């Protein structure tokens, strides 16, 4: 991350400085360096506001996660999908709580729950860190899990559908097939890239004095329960696949029920397992509150760097240079800022989407409107995920995580363009 941060900040400073030297004062206008300074301060304040807003969500869902863990739900889920997960994460014991936490996170992402998936992901990272024998360095399992998250396995992009409906789309859910194609492609590439790049990014030597070595050894010594039969795992996978047509047909009707239903389900499960749900939820919520505060510095640094890149004009220059080459292959210049911003800034990409689909010259149902809606619904904000997930467990050496995530982002853009060209044409 050191090199990435320095590159982003240096590029922004050079571009803003170059524009400032050639700037001619205009009444009511701001000098480029003044705009850069203002963007930095606003981004820093916005990052803290975002983190504080996340505190409530983190407290709620980390509390629910604690109830699920105390009731044994994570172990049940891990047993159910063990034949599949052990192949993806061979370094994680099949009955480890990280398995269940990762599945809950991926399920929340698949249902388009947004920030509600973040606490599950952070909990999964915390559990994976108990197996980490190299403090401060990402393990292969951590990198793979993060890459899958940034590729955003999305079955139901509820937020994008709602925005399209508000913009007057004739068929707000028309992007579901293209979103599924894009997210399946990006997730597949994320897994392959993380596995491949790990060969070229070896981990440093194990620190013998590390306390996490003992934690890892203890977890591996716990007796494993027998896995679920293969037919049960296949049946669970088939049920997941059946969610796709259900999402297409009834997504808009079901989406308001998801989060309240999750809370009732978790608490009901805990009560049936004789878990003191109130005390357990308070304990888990306290952990979530502390984690949300701990990630603030990481979010501030990343979001300030991204804001500098945007305010300096470097991003606009890049869009102008690339637009001439991407337009003939199905990625119009109007959609290019969305493709470039999505890994950098979720709020920035959302603003681009909102402004374009409300533009009468483009609209939500044009090819460009469909493409940018697909991009928003099928990919995630890579830098935000990196900052939050790795920040929660104090990871400083990210190894090949960034390269794998950006490779998945590129694959998501390519798959989105191909799917939109096939289904909607030009």
């Amino acid at each position: 991350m050191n090199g990435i941060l320095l590159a982003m900040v240096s590029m922004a400073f050079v571009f803003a400085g170059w524009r400032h030297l050639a700037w001619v004062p205009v009444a009511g206008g701001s000098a480029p360096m003044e705009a850069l300074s203002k963007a930095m301060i606003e981004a820093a304040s916005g990052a803290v506001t975002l983190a504080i807003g996340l505190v409530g969500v983190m407290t709620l869902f980390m509390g629910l996660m604690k109830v699920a863990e105390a009731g044994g739900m994570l172990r049940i889920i891990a047993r159910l999908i063990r034949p599949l997960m052990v192949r993806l994460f061979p370094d994680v014991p099949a009955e480890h709580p990280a398995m269940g936490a990762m599945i809950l996170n991926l399920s929340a992402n698949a249902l388009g729950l947004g920030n509600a998936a973040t606490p599950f992901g952070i909990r999964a990272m915390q559990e994976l860190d108990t197996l980490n024998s190299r403090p401060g360095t990402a393990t292969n399992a951590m990198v793979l899990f993060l890459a899958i998250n940034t590729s955003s396995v999305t079955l139901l992009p509820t937020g994008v559908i709602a925005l399209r409906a508000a913009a007057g789309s004739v068929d707000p859910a028309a992007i579901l097939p293209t979103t599924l194609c894009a997210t399946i492609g990006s997730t597949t590439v994320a897994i392959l890239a993380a596995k491949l790049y790990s060969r070229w990014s070896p981990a440093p030597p194990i620190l013998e004095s590390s306390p996490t070595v003992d934690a890892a050894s203890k977890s591996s010594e716990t007796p494993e329960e027998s896995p679920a039969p293969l037919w049960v795992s296949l049946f669970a996978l088939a049920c997941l696949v059946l969610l796709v047509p259900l999402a297409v047909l009834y997504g808009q009707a079901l989406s308001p029920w998801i989060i309240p239903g999750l809370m009732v389900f978790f608490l009901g499960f805990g009560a049936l397992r004789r878990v003191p749900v109130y005390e357990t939820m308070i304990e888990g919520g306290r952990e979530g509150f502390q984690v949300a505060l701990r990630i603030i510095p990481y979010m501030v640094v990343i979001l300030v760097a991204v804001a500098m890149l945007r305010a300096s004009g470097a991003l606009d220059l890049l869009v102008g240079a690339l637009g001439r080459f991407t337009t003939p292959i199905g990625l119009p210049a109007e959609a290019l800022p969305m493709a470039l911003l999505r890994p950098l800034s979720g709020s920035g990409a959302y603003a681009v989407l909102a402004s374009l689909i409300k533009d009468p010259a483009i609209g939500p149902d044009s090819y460009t409107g469909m493409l940018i809606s697909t991009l928003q619904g099928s990919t995630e904000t890579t830098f935000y995920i990196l900052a939050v997930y790795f920040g929660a467990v104090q990871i400083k050496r990210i190894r090949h995580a960034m390269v794998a995530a950006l490779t998945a982002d590129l694959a998501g853009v390519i798959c989105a363009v191909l799917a939109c060209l096939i289904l909607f044409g030009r």
Side-chain angles (χ1 to χ4, degrees):
M1 287 298 291
N2 294 322
I4 294 170
L5 178 63
L6 287 172
M8 293 174 68
V9 172
S10 300
M11 185 182 302
F13 181 82
V14 169
F15 272 84
W18 174 70
R19 291 178 58 213
H20 189 90
L21 293 176
W23 180 68
V24 177
V26 179
S30 298
M33 292 303 289
E34 292 177 357
L36 185 65
S37 301
K38 182 179 179 181
M40 292 172 63
I41 300 300
E42 290 180 350
S45 300
V48 175
T49 302
L50 178 62
I52 292 176
L54 194 59
V55 167
V57 178
M58 289 285 294
T59 301
L60 173 62
F61 282 92
M62 288 292 274
L64 293 176
M65 275 288 294
K66 194 72 173 180
V67 173
E69 181 183 3
M73 182 185 294
L74 302 187
R75 295 179 66 85
I76 293 173
I77 294 175
R79 288 182 60 201
L80 182 64
I81 57 159
R82 176 179 175 180
L84 305 175
M85 293 294 285
V86 293
R87 288 170 172 78
L88 277 180
F89 298 91
D91 300 332
V92 181
E95 298 297 329
H96 197 275
M99 285 290 194
M102 286 190 288
I103 289 302
L104 288 176
N105 165 262
L106 297 177
S107 300
N109 272 325
L111 294 173
L113 299 186
N115 285 341
T118 303
F120 298 147
I122 289 177
R123 186 51 183 263
M125 275 292 181
Q126 290 173 331
E127 295 293 348
L128 289 173
D129 199 46
T130 65
L131 302 172
N132 190 359
S133 57
R134 302 170 177 87
T137 299
T139 64
N140 288 340
M142 286 179 171
V143 172
L144 176 57
F145 175 63
L146 185 135
I148 293 174
N149 256 272
T150 59
S151 68
S152 183
V153 186
T154 307
L155 298 178
L156 187 61
T158 51
V160 179
I161 291 174
L163 185 60
R164 287 174 52 80
S169 172
V170 176
D171 186 4
I175 60 162
L176 282 172
T178 54
T179 297
L180 288 172
C181 292
T183 194
I184 290 172
S186 62
T187 301
T188 302
V189 171
I191 294 171
L192 296 176
K195 295 285 188 181
L196 177 63
Y197 297 160
S198 64
R199 302 179 181 179
W200 305 326
S201 179
I206 296 176
L207 301 178
E208 296 295 338
S209 59
S210 168
T212 54
V213 174
D214 295 334
S217 62
K218 288 179 182 178
S219 65
S220 63
E221 293 171 0
T222 57
E224 294 186 355
E225 301 176 13
S226 58
L230 180 59
W231 71 267
V232 175
S233 298
L234 294 176
F235 176 76
L237 182 61
C239 290
L240 182 63
V241 172
L242 286 176
L243 289 176
V244 175
L246 288 176
V248 174
L249 295 174
Y250 306 110
Q252 286 184 280
L254 293 177
S255 59
W257 294 75
I258 293 175
I259 292 181
L262 280 177
M263 185 165 184
V264 172
F265 175 74
F266 276 98
L267 294 181
F269 178 85
L272 289 175
R273 304 282 289 193
R274 300 184 182 278
V275 174
V277 292
Y278 178 76
E279 292 84 355
T280 305
M281 193 168 178
I282 292 297
E283 180 185 353
R286 187 178 296 114
E287 295 176 7
F289 181 84
Q290 294 170 351
V291 169
L293 295 180
R294 190 162 62 237
I295 64 178
I296 289 179
Y298 295 86
M299 293 180 65
V300 169
V301 171
I302 289 297
L303 293 182
V304 166
V306 171
M308 291 179 67
L309 205 58
R310 293 178 60 192
S312 67
L315 191 61
D316 293 336
L317 186 65
L318 183 61
V319 168
L322 295 177
R324 292 174 295 176
F325 302 100
T326 61
T327 299
I329 60 175
L331 184 58
E334 297 88 350
L336 192 54
M338 176 60 139
L340 295 176
L341 270 178
R342 193 67 182 102
L344 297 173
S345 171
S347 59
Y350 191 84
V352 170
L353 172 64
S355 63
L356 288 179
I357 65 174
K358 292 178 181 177
D359 184 347
I362 297 176
D365 296 323
S366 66
Y367 171 80
T368 301
M370 292 292 190
L371 177 58
I372 59 177
S373 299
T374 300
L375 291 173
Q376 176 73 18
S378 62
T379 55
E380 258 298 345
T381 311
T382 298
F383 283 80
Y384 171 82
I385 296 292
L386 276 168
V388 172
Y389 283 24
F390 280 161
V393 288
Q394 310 295 301
I395 294 294
K396 299 179 178 64
R397 183 170 180 177
I398 64 174
R399 299 176 63 212
H400 53 294
M402 176 67 74
V403 181
L406 292 178
T407 302
D409 289 335
L410 177 60
V413 172
I414 294 173
C415 291
V417 170
L418 291 175
C420 288
L421 284 174
I422 292 172
L423 291 180
F424 307 125
R426 293 293 300 274

